[in-house]
Amino acid sequence: MERAEREKIIRLIRREVVPAIGCTEPVAVALCVAKATETLGQHPEKINVLLSANILKNAMGVGIPGTGMIGLPIAVALGALIGKSEYQLEVLKECTPADVERGKQLIEAKAIQIKLKENITEKLYIEVCCQAGENKAAAVISGSHTHFVHLQRNDEILFSETGRSSEETEEETLFLNLKKVYEFATTAPLEEITFILESARLNKAAAEQSLQGHYGHALGKTLSGPAEHRIVGDSIFSRILSFTSAACDARMAGAMIPVMSNSGSGNQGITATLPVVIFAEENHLSEEQMTRALVLSHLTVIYIKQSLGYLSALCGCVVAGTGSSCGITYLMGGDYDRIAYAVKNMIANLTGMICDGAKPSCALKLTSGISTAVFSALLAMEGKCVTSVEGIIDEDVDQSIANLTRIGKQGMEETDRLVLDIMTHKC
């Protein structure tokens, strides 16, 4: 692979694999509020927020870091009071208990209004208008969690993006497929890709901290207990399940713990990272092997998300689990063909798992995803693969991936609407 192409892929990975504190949807809303507040130049008296359905869905039931509270209002309040847009998806990292109390006062004053943005096709859309006296400022994020497309103060438009960004154009010229992902991960000079080890450090630290406390449904901690070991055993497999779900437990509960995200999702970053890390460490594999497996896992996720989109009705653990299955297959000694088998096995099993918003029970879905990731890798290493006469699997692995993303992006549109309707009309 030529150096210029490698550098494009590295820039892509560095853009999509970034630290985040808390669920990325409410945090992205807080980021947009912070930017609008900075543009206003003072703390707002009123904040109006318009959101796409998928942002609203993913922000309703998740803990907000450092607050002990659930949902968007406190995220919006803190974005205005202490958010710093320069921190990106760590925008709320300086939150203190005193700030939370101030945020509660802003909510009680009914200064915050949050509504669904009607008649838009973009699944990731956040529009914020902050007002103080006669002055107003607006900010809009669209397309990805940190991608600002509009800034305005009163009648003055400070920035407006009408076309596609240069980053998006560059991304399209990469023409990724699974073979290219594999080639890059296995042949790139090691010194160019060791930055991916930061994902191992951050996400494992999050899991270890979670196992010391009690977050969400505490699935990770439960799976590491003696009663559970009598049933599922104390094995590499059980530790993969425990560490991965533990990191998710803490994140979804709103712990002030950073994780390395992938394609705008902390849970995807966790799922793409920890199964690979635990498998490599438990088998005493080299740092180079772990590095290349992590790159393979994360870049596979990025590749699939390019056509699926950042937000969809399809649970992200399906995509991220596919990445980790590739990484684990590689660590088992699998070549490209075995890795392609693992991808097909994953798609044959988990396609159709719905996303019903970010919440503590996401840990259960991650566990389903990584269980299937391990099973798929084991089957692949035995030379066993779901064939093209079965379901949506095609002889060509990239077409199988296209079939998956087509179902997630087009076929599940009505599912997405129905899920949101159910979530917003519960008693």
Side-chain angles (χ1 to χ4, degrees), residues 180-200:
K180 186 166 289 186
V181 168
Y182 173 80
E183 179 188 356
F184 174 81
T186 56
T187 65
L190 187 61
E191 65 273 13
E192 294 182 7
I193 57 174
T194 51
F195 67 88
I196 203 68
L197 291 175
E198 181 65 6
S199 69

Side-chain angles (χ1 to χ4, degrees), residues 310-390:
Y310 286 102
L311 299 177
S312 75
L314 183 69
C315 178
C317 80
V318 177
V319 177
T322 301
S324 64
S325 190
C326 292
I328 290 170
T329 304
Y330 170 79
L331 292 175
M332 288 178 173
D335 57 9
Y336 172 75
D337 290 337
R338 293 297 188 269
I339 288 166
Y341 286 178
V343 171
K344 292 181 182 181
N345 292 340
M346 285 291 297
I347 293 171
N349 191 335
L350 287 181
T351 298
M353 181 184 286
I354 66 167
C355 170
D356 54 343
K359 61 220 175 292
S361 61
C362 284
L364 291 164
K365 294 191 177 188
L366 263 66
T367 304
S368 296
I370 57 179
S371 297
T372 302
V374 175
F375 299 154
S376 296
L378 289 169
L379 279 174
M381 290 306 294
E382 293 291 330
K384 297 172 182 175
C385 172
V386 178
T387 67
S388 59
V389 299
E390 302 174 67

Side-chain angles (χ1 to χ4, degrees), residues 41-178:
Q42 63 188 110
H43 286 154
E45 298 163 0
K46 294 181 180 179
I47 308 168
N48 293 314
V49 181
L50 294 173
L51 304 173
S52 61
N54 286 76
I55 290 286
L56 193 62
K57 178 182 74 174
N58 278 357
M60 289 172 62
V62 70
I64 306 303
T67 69
M69 299 172 67
I70 289 173
L72 278 166
I74 191 64
V76 171
L78 291 173
L81 293 172
I82 57 97
K84 293 182 179 179
S85 64
E86 65 192 84
Y87 292 159
Q88 299 284 286
L89 293 179
E90 296 179 288
V91 62
L92 300 181
K93 70 179 180 179
E94 293 182 351
C95 175
T96 67
D99 296 325
V100 175
E101 291 306 311
R102 291 167 61 210
K104 290 178 181 178
Q105 292 172 12
L106 197 61
I107 295 169
E108 291 168 0
K110 301 188 183 305
I112 297 169
Q113 186 177 73
I114 301 168
K115 292 184 177 180
L116 180 68
K117 177 76 172 182
E118 303 285 355
N119 302 319
I120 58 168
T121 57
E122 175 57 57
K123 291 184 179 295
L124 200 166
Y125 182 90
I126 303 163
E127 179 180 328
V128 174
C129 180
C130 291
Q131 183 175 351
E134 297 298 315
N135 292 316
K136 295 181 180 180
V140 177
I141 285 175
S142 181
S144 66
H145 292 75
T146 59
H147 184 207
F148 285 94
V149 297
H150 185 84
L151 286 176
Q152 183 171 342
R153 189 176 193 279
N154 294 324
D155 294 329
E156 181 184 3
I157 297 175
L158 305 176
F159 169 76
S160 186
E161 181 181 295
T162 55
R164 299 177 65 79
S165 70
S166 59
E167 286 184 344
E168 289 175 317
T169 304
E170 178 185 271
E171 182 178 309
E172 287 184 350
T173 64
L174 288 172
F175 300 112
L176 287 179
N177 54 39
L178 191 66

